[in-house]
Amino acid sequence: ILENLQVKENISLDSNGGNIIFEKADVGNTLELTAKNGNISGTVAGSYDDFAISSAIKKGESNLPENKDGGEKTLQVSCNNGDISVDFQN
């Protein structure tokens, strides 16, 4: 569980057998999230259009598109046996 995370460059979070929960993640370049047997949920600082998005999910549901081009920052999310729920907050 991470709250009010601010990173100037890149961050990568991995979980095997647990959830990744974050609030107001503010990244300079890339946010990469990977979970196996757990959910990924939280809010990212900025708007949807600020990010190029790639997401992959197996045996779960996601509110993110598989691929979205554009944006100065990158959001990469991968989840196996869990759900993805990521929202954007200005």
Side-chain angles (χ1 to χ4, degrees):
I1 298 174
L2 300 168
E3 293 181 13
N4 296 323
L5 176 68
Q6 274 190 318
V7 179
K8 289 183 180 183
E9 295 292 327
N10 308 320
I11 187 165
S12 178
L13 301 173
D14 297 302
S15 175
N16 188 351
N19 297 328
I20 296 175
I21 302 168
F22 57 96
E23 288 185 34
K24 298 179 185 172
D26 187 0
V27 297
N29 292 325
T30 301
L31 175 59
E32 183 177 348
L33 308 166
T34 305
K36 183 173 182 181
N37 299 318
N39 299 320
I40 298 172
S41 62
T43 56
V44 177
S47 73
Y48 178 81
D49 292 329
D50 290 340
F51 290 86
I53 300 171
S54 68
S55 69
I57 191 156
K58 292 182 181 177
K59 300 180 185 176
E61 296 181 6
S62 175
N63 71 333
L64 295 176
E66 281 187 36
N67 289 299
K68 176 192 152 309
D69 294 328
E72 296 180 10
K73 302 177 184 181
T74 302
L75 175 62
Q76 298 175 334
V77 186
S78 176
C79 192
N80 188 351
N81 292 328
D83 296 329
I84 298 172
S85 177
V86 176
D87 295 311
F88 298 88
Q89 180 181 12
N90 283 327

